[in-house]
Amino acid sequence: MALPTADVMPAIAPVKRRRRSRFFQNRKAMAGLVIFGFFCLLAIFGPMLAPYEPGKRGSELLIGPSADHWFGTTHLGQDLFSQMLDGSRSVMLVGLVAGVVATVLGVLIGVTSGYLSGLGAESLSALSNVFLVIPALPLILIITLSLPDTDDMTIALVIGATSWAWGARVLRAQTLSLRRRDYVEAARATGESTWRIIGFEILPNLTAVIAASFIGTVIFAVLSEITLAFIGVPGVSEWNWGAILFWAQSQQALAQGAWWWFVPPGVAIALLGTGLALLNFGIDEYVNPRLRSSAGTKVRGVKMRVGYTPVLRGSDD
């Protein structure tokens, strides 16, 4: 096969750079990435930037937002802004670790059971079905309460180890569709090994599904940990956003008009979920040309006529 000439090579690099930059031109992806990056930075530097000790009591009891206390105080005079900053690390740690663990398990089990055949593949598929029908949150609660020592990392591992079934099921279905494609059959006919076909032919076409599985698991892990903190499961970080909501509910903050006690953690949870969802939409549009946004493409003089199909010129690919 003839190699690209020197005249062709310079033209390839701009095309690759344009395709790489398309992701960063997607508004949904950029908005989600900015929100997600903000919470990651908050998890890293937030506890160091807290103006007060989260558990330190003060004389200003249940006051609204002010210059000294940006998010107000609790019934014990504790600074809510410091509690929010300190709790962000626990939320992000559990979400990211659980997302990585569940995604790795989902890819290993889902792709393997979808590409291979035989008793082993059927056993992995049956295992996915079993975990799929078990209620996730009660299972997480039972396992967490059964462990002698529980911390944020343990909770993250438990959530990740019990939340992979949905992603594995979707990946198995996609792999079953991809394994009979022409390019996979051609790679198999040339003598490529099974794991090389999976790694270089199957997995690149599952990028959007894997990304969606990871982001969905992160959202589920964040909500699960906040729920565990809200119901008082031991081992969760003391100033988790769910713990803040627990104390606000137990002290009847809504009845007392202390909206600043429960609104900030609720807004933070909603904003984090929105950022992850936007990032998921952006990745999906980047990988799938059919969903790719046509932002920046101007349509001039397109008229619908009977018997003709309008064609837009000047699009990327």
Side-chain angles (χ1 to χ4, degrees):
M1 182 176 63
L3 296 176
T5 62
D7 296 334
V8 178
M9 291 299 294
I12 297 177
V15 174
K16 291 183 177 180
R17 287 196 297 266
R18 186 169 63 251
R19 290 179 178 176
R20 286 195 298 265
S21 65
R22 185 183 295 121
F23 175 79
F24 297 100
Q25 295 174 356
N26 188 293
R27 296 181 179 179
K28 295 177 184 178
M30 284 299 95
L33 193 61
V34 168
I35 296 173
F36 181 68
F38 169 75
F39 279 102
C40 288
L41 292 176
L42 203 64
I44 297 172
F45 301 106
M48 296 182 287
L49 299 176
Y52 303 95
E53 287 292 331
K56 183 179 179 181
R57 301 185 180 186
S59 57
E60 299 176 312
L61 308 180
L62 210 63
I63 63 170
S66 62
D68 294 331
H69 304 280
W70 290 3
F71 288 175
T73 62
T74 67
H75 66 297
L76 298 176
Q78 299 165 330
D79 184 63
L80 284 168
F81 182 65
S82 301
Q83 293 182 359
M84 286 288 298
L85 291 178
D86 190 81
S88 61
R89 178 172 294 179
S90 168
V91 172
M92 295 302 297
L93 175 66
V94 172
L96 292 176
V97 172
V100 170
V101 172
T103 302
V104 171
L105 290 175
V107 170
L108 290 176
I109 296 176
V111 176
T112 301
S113 62
Y115 185 80
L116 303 179
S117 59
L119 181 60
E122 294 299 327
S123 300
L124 292 176
S125 179
L127 181 64
S128 301
N129 293 335
V130 170
F131 272 87
L132 198 62
V133 298
I134 296 177
L137 190 59
L139 178 62
I140 295 170
L141 184 61
I142 292 173
I143 296 176
T144 304
L145 293 177
S146 301
L147 297 175
D149 297 319
T150 307
D151 55 10
D152 289 335
M153 185 59 69
T154 304
I155 292 175
L157 294 176
V158 171
I159 294 175
T162 55
S163 308
W164 53 267
W166 179 85
R169 194 66 182 171
V170 175
L171 287 171
R172 181 178 184 272
Q174 293 294 323
T175 305
L176 287 172
S177 174
L178 292 174
R179 72 177 183 177
R180 295 303 179 188
R181 299 291 176 89
D182 292 340
Y183 58 89
V184 176
E185 294 288 354
R188 190 182 296 113
T190 57
E192 296 288 350
S193 63
T194 299
W195 301 114
R196 184 174 178 81
I197 294 175
I198 292 176
F200 290 92
E201 303 294 343
I202 301 293
L203 287 180
N205 291 281
L206 297 175
T207 305
V209 181
I210 294 173
S213 176
F214 170 75
I215 293 175
T217 305
V218 171
I219 296 175
F220 173 76
V222 168
L223 295 178
S224 297
E225 190 215 10
I226 290 173
T227 302
L228 294 176
F230 183 77
I231 63 179
V233 173
V236 185
S237 176
E238 184 178 4
W239 305 117
N240 181 279
W241 296 344
I244 297 175
L245 292 174
F246 166 78
W247 287 110
Q249 186 272 339
S250 63
Q251 296 300 321
Q252 299 182 351
L254 181 61
Q256 299 186 59
W259 56 267
W260 58 86
W261 201 343
F262 56 85
V263 168
V267 171
I269 296 169
L271 190 60
L272 178 58
T274 302
L276 290 170
L278 289 174
L279 186 58
N280 185 22
F281 295 153
I283 294 174
D284 204 12
E285 290 180 359
Y286 171 74
V287 175
N288 191 346
R290 296 182 180 180
L291 301 178
R292 190 168 299 157
S293 175
S294 59
T297 302
K298 297 182 179 179
V299 181
R300 297 190 182 99
V302 177
K303 297 181 180 180
M304 300 296 294
R305 298 181 181 178
V306 178
Y308 292 89
T309 302
V311 178
L312 302 181
R313 296 181 179 178
S315 59
D316 291 343
D317 29 48

